Amino acid sequence: MIWWLRQRGAFGLLPGVLLAFAMGIGLTSGVSVVFPSFLGHYAMMTELSTFVAVLPGIAVIACLERRMPSVERSAVRRLDARDTVLVAGFALLVTAVAAGLSLVGSDAMLVAARNNLLFCGLALGAWPSLGHRATLVPVFWMIQSMFLGGRDRDDPYPWVIVTEAAHVTHATVGASAVFLAGLLSLVCFAPRTDR
């Protein structure tokens, strides 16, 4: 078990990303940027912490990519199931940390928590088919959501989720649904060990 955790980066990679995420959203909380709108009618204000929220999604893919199939085929226990628990637990821990920081910070931390779930779900859902390139899916989603603009001033398109305010219910439900769909994709389509 220890070699598996060490190989996946549970002692170095994941704690480092958690610390970088917490410090990043703490330092960028409440800072907004405006990008030009190429297709929508209005440019959208975007929290700078949205860029930091991509880090955990990249980390879970890096964790999954550290597999050693030739060695792990001889494992006694199903490591693919443990991998799923590890990355899901990490994504939920990061979300809980951001939500906890929102008690002492601004609503931007709740937005970062929600966006983390969205980005992790997108990355996990794409990993079985794209491999290490799955990290590009949340980055693409973030970029297109900023440059597509919105329907009205401070009213992004409903499917964008990323630029929605913290109190918007459909964005939270959508991010949670994408995360659960990503986990389901990981469980159903990820490469399995023999046992």
Side-chain angles (χ1 to χ4, degrees):
M1 175 100 167
I2 297 296
W3 71 267
W4 167 73
L5 288 170
R6 188 176 293 121
Q7 177 63 31
R8 295 301 188 267
F11 299 131
L13 172 71
L14 297 182
V17 170
L18 179 62
L19 180 63
F21 176 79
M23 287 178 54
I25 63 170
L27 294 173
T28 60
S29 176
V31 179
S32 297
V33 292
V34 179
F35 291 97
S37 171
F38 294 127
L39 296 178
H41 299 289
Y42 295 93
M44 295 306 303
M45 295 284 290
T46 304
E47 293 284 341
L48 197 55
S49 59
T50 301
F51 294 98
V52 180
V54 175
L55 291 177
I58 294 171
V60 297
I61 297 304
C63 176
L64 292 172
E65 282 293 309
R66 297 175 86 165
R67 297 175 81 159
M68 299 172 55
S70 59
V71 175
E72 293 174 9
R73 281 192 190 95
S74 64
V76 175
R77 293 176 181 89
R78 295 259 323 253
L79 295 181
D80 54 316
R82 290 177 184 229
D83 286 344
T84 302
V85 171
L86 177 67
V87 295
F90 177 71
L92 293 174
L93 174 66
V94 170
T95 301
V97 166
L101 287 174
S102 71
L103 297 175
V104 295
S106 66
D107 284 346
M109 301 209 183
L110 283 176
V111 172
R114 181 196 67 213
N115 288 343
N116 167 63
L117 274 185
L118 173 72
F119 294 147
C120 285
L122 288 170
L124 291 174
W127 181 72
S129 59
L130 296 179
H132 67 278
R133 292 177 296 279
T135 57
L136 297 175
V137 175
V139 172
F140 172 74
W141 190 276
M142 178 181 63
I143 290 171
Q144 63 87 22
S145 67
M146 291 175 196
F147 289 110
L148 284 183
R151 298 176 293 183
D152 199 359
R153 194 170 313 284
D154 295 326
D155 186 20
Y157 295 108
W159 50 267
V160 168
I161 297 175
V162 175
T163 54
E164 292 279 10
H167 65 277
V168 177
T169 306
H170 78 267
T172 304
V173 171
S176 302
V178 168
F179 179 69
L180 291 175
L183 281 181
L184 185 63
S185 172
L186 188 64
V187 169
C188 294
F189 302 115
R192 300 180 181 274
T193 53
D194 289 342
R195 296 180 197 271

